Structure formats: structure tokens, C-alpha cells
Amino acid sequence: MDITELILFQHHEQRRTFALLDEVPRDDVAALGAIWSRLEVLLEVHAAAEEKFFYPILLAIGRGAADADSARDETKDAVKDHNEIRDAVRKVAGLETGSAAWWQRVTEARIANSDHMAEEERQDLADFRRHADLQTRHDIALAFIAFENEHAYGIAPIDKDPESYVEEHG
């Protein structure tokens, strides 16, 4: 098991779940609500696991990849992105499922998540592959997946200050 492959797999699952919403008839609010509820959990638990297991190691060993100057920059940006995704997901809460306002907010969450995943795949995961040995990648993947399974029903979304996060973990 490799943390970079696990994250890529989960990114695919997130994309697929957003795409499932496109397949559901707009008036099937029960199905839309069920899929969205599952997606909320996927997004938050994934972000929390990255922040707990992946990014502290990236800060220690990374050097920056693609269009990122350093692992610190990659990590600050990722935590900021996670906050934006959390904020977008929160904006869906309380809206009538399937309404125009609900779809608008779901789309905003999708865009924030898609932008983040593309950047993370191009920068953070590439940096990690170049600088983490296979045992480290395996060990982090095991801890990551155990954490996600322990929190399969979700956790409270809590925004983090990117600067403080990097100072604490860097």
C-alpha cells in the first residue's frame, strides 16, 4: 500500500461521487441527499487524514514540485484549500436538497475540491513520491486508512490556519 496511490484512489472516488449527483434525477431528493451526505463524510475525513498523516511528513522531507517552491508552500496551500472545501460544504447545509441554491453550493464545493485535487496531484503527491521511501509511504497509508475507517461516519469540520499548521508541523 502506498499513500500516494491511496490518495489518488480517493480523489477518483470523490470525482465519481460528484458525478453520481449528475446522474440522479433532480427531483429524487432522497437519493441526492444520501449521496451528498456520504460525499460530505468522504471530503472531511480525507482532508483530516491528510492533515494528520500526510502533510507533516511532506513538510519534513519535501522540497517542492511542479509549480510549488517548497513543501511549506504546498502545505499552506493545501490546508487553505481544505478550509475552502469545508466552507463550501457548510454552505450546502440547511438548503433544500435539489433546489437551485443547493445545486449552486454543491457546484461551488465541487469546483473547490477539483481545483485542490489537481494541484495536490501535480505538486504534493509528486514531491512525496520523489522524497519518501516505500516503507514510509506504506506506513503512512496504513495509518491513514485506519483513521478513515475509525471515522467512517464523519468528524466535525474544523478550519485550520495554514501558517499555524505549518509552524506546528514543520
Side-chain angles (χ1 to χ4, degrees):
M1 186 178 295
D2 178 334
I3 188 59
T4 62
E5 291 299 317
L6 180 59
I7 290 171
L8 282 173
F9 173 80
Q10 291 183 358
H11 285 181
H12 173 72
E13 184 177 10
Q14 292 166 24
R15 288 181 179 104
R16 184 182 66 74
T17 306
F18 272 112
L20 284 173
L21 290 170
D22 298 334
E23 298 289 333
V24 176
R26 298 285 173 136
D27 61 348
D28 190 346
V29 295
L32 292 171
I35 293 167
W36 178 251
S37 292
R38 173 70 180 124
L39 187 53
E40 285 180 296
V41 171
L42 286 173
L43 294 172
E44 181 52 36
V45 174
H46 176 83
E50 285 183 343
E51 291 166 357
K52 184 171 180 66
F53 300 105
F54 179 77
Y55 282 103
I57 303 301
L58 180 65
L59 281 166
I61 65 170
R63 298 188 186 127
D67 52 339
D69 292 330
S70 69
R72 291 177 66 85
D73 289 346
E74 290 169 339
T75 302
K76 284 179 194 176
D77 189 59
V79 172
K80 178 185 72 64
D81 289 352
H82 287 169
N83 290 339
E84 290 172 0
I85 295 163
R86 288 177 178 115
D87 293 345
V89 167
R90 282 186 195 117
K91 290 177 182 176
V92 176
L95 297 174
E96 181 183 340
T97 303
S99 68
W102 185 86
W103 278 106
Q104 178 181 344
R105 297 300 189 189
V106 167
T107 299
E108 289 170 10
R110 186 179 197 169
I111 291 167
N113 194 58
S114 293
D115 290 349
H116 166 69
M117 290 186 301
E119 191 170 57
E120 187 172 67
E121 291 167 9
R122 181 178 70 248
Q123 297 174 350
D124 315 356
L125 296 180
D127 196 6
F128 207 85
R129 278 189 216 96
R130 290 182 188 126
H131 300 107
D133 62 70
L134 292 176
Q135 188 63 52
T136 299
R137 289 159 62 172
H138 175 76
D139 293 345
I140 293 169
L142 290 177
F144 192 98
I145 201 71
F147 175 87
E148 288 189 321
N149 281 281
E150 289 168 10
H151 298 90
Y153 296 103
I155 55 178
I158 300 169
D159 284 354
K160 295 168 184 69
D161 177 63
E163 292 285 336
S164 299
Y165 180 91
V166 168
E167 290 308 314
E168 179 182 338
H169 297 284

